[in-house]
Amino acid sequence: DGGITQSPKYLFRKEGQNVTLSCEQNLNHDAMYWYRQDPGQGLRLIYYSQIVNDFQKGDIAEGYSVSREKKESFPLTVTSAQKNPTAFYLCASSEIELDIDQPQHFGDGTRLSIL
Amino acid sequence: GEDVEQSLFLSVREGDSSVINCTYTDSSSTYLYWYKQEPGAGLQLLTYIFSNMDMKQDQRLTVLLNKKDKHLSLRIADTQTGDSAIYFCAEGDTGNQFYFGTGTSLTVIP
């Protein structure tokens, strides 16, 4: 079945450590997105990418980095510069059609906690 | 970014209808969307409505759109305990970005 796979489901980070969250999709979608979800705050956009080897910052990119070396993969690194990384992280993907928004499809999320 | 607003909580009794409301600001969206999030899971696309439509019905779900007032609602008929979840409305823009509301937590009381 086509879909988006995020791994791991739970991740723990020590102080000063970088961690990488995986996101893979087999939907052949061009666009991929990373969101952070905190209780009562909805979803906030971290980074997005519309094409391989290109990506843009979202609203809260500080302390995060991404890469898009393959169409199906969009890993997110939470760096030690992110002082409050405890959150639920969601990856999404969508098709791109000129001048028409397309629905986003989501993975099951990764919950990151600080040890 | 655009503003998409929802109330945070809604409680209904099993078998009653639920109505979740949303207001938005951007009028350029082609579609407006409703997503459902169960605990510990990602967002599941429930339904969406073309911005030139007033209403869309899909089994127990009815979406109403008042484009003049920029108001979107999701009605769930015969609400069941399995409908307990957080519901997000969202609008997109032609730059392929989405704007989500804060989510409405629906609790269904048996």
Side-chain angles (χ1 to χ4, degrees):
Chain A
D1 283 354
I4 300 174
T5 302
Q6 290 188 241
S7 62
K9 191 162 178 64
Y10 300 96
L11 187 58
F12 299 92
R13 193 190 93 168
K14 294 181 181 178
E15 296 284 346
Q17 191 179 46
N18 293 354
V19 290
T20 298
L21 284 60
S22 169
C23 178
E24 303 276 332
Q25 54 100 0
N26 60 4
L27 299 167
N28 201 34
H29 285 168
D30 287 304
M32 296 187 75
Y33 309 80
W34 274 106
Y35 293 93
R36 170 179 170 141
Q37 186 179 21
D38 295 282
Q41 291 195 40
L43 277 68
R44 291 184 290 170
L45 182 64
I46 305 172
Y47 269 99
Y48 66 102
S49 167
Q50 298 188 349
I51 194 169
V52 173
N53 292 323
D54 189 40
F55 46 82
Q56 284 76 43
K57 292 182 179 180
D59 300 320
I60 56 163
E62 186 174 346
Y64 300 97
S65 66
V66 292
S67 62
R68 187 90 186 272
E69 296 177 3
K70 298 185 295 183
K71 185 176 183 178
E72 57 270 23
S73 179
F74 192 40
L76 173 75
T77 297
V78 184
T79 74
S80 57
Q82 172 49 244
K83 296 306 177 191
N84 185 22
T86 297
F88 191 50
Y89 291 87
L90 287 160
C91 178
S93 71
S94 72
E95 294 178 345
I96 293 179
E97 188 169 341
L98 187 63
D99 293 334
I100 299 176
D101 47 277
Q102 295 292 319
Q104 293 189 2
H105 301 266
F106 284 80
D108 283 337
T110 293
R111 186 165 297 281
L112 175 62
S113 302
I114 296 299
L115 288 178
Chain B
E2 306 301 331
D3 266 339
V4 181
E5 296 193 356
Q6 302 176 237
S7 53
L8 287 179
F9 302 101
L10 177 66
S11 291
V12 298
R13 294 210 171 271
E14 191 173 16
D16 288 349
S17 292
S18 308
V19 179
I20 302 171
N21 294 301
C22 172
T23 58
Y24 62 97
T25 57
D26 183 12
S27 57
S28 68
S29 300
T30 305
Y31 299 100
L32 291 133
Y33 306 85
W34 283 104
Y35 285 84
K36 177 183 181 182
Q37 185 182 33
E38 298 188 3
L43 274 66
Q44 171 197 352
L45 180 64
L46 261 186
T47 186
Y48 56 96
I49 186 168
F50 187 56
S51 58
N52 283 344
M53 293 174 63
D54 298 324
M55 184 180 88
K56 178 181 178 182
Q57 185 146 7
D58 184 0
Q59 300 182 342
R60 292 190 299 121
L61 305 178
T62 303
V63 180
L64 295 177
L65 175 60
N66 181 327
K67 199 167 182 180
K68 174 176 168 290
D69 294 338
K70 297 183 180 174
H71 182 267
L72 181 73
S73 67
L74 174 70
R75 178 178 181 270
I76 306 173
D78 187 25
T79 312
Q80 303 298 308
T81 54
D83 295 323
S84 293
I86 301 176
Y87 291 82
F88 291 91
C89 66
E91 59 171 344
D93 68 16
T94 53
N96 297 107
Q97 289 205 48
F98 262 43
Y99 305 96
F100 290 87
T102 51
T104 298
S105 178
L106 173 65
T107 301
V108 182
I109 304 163

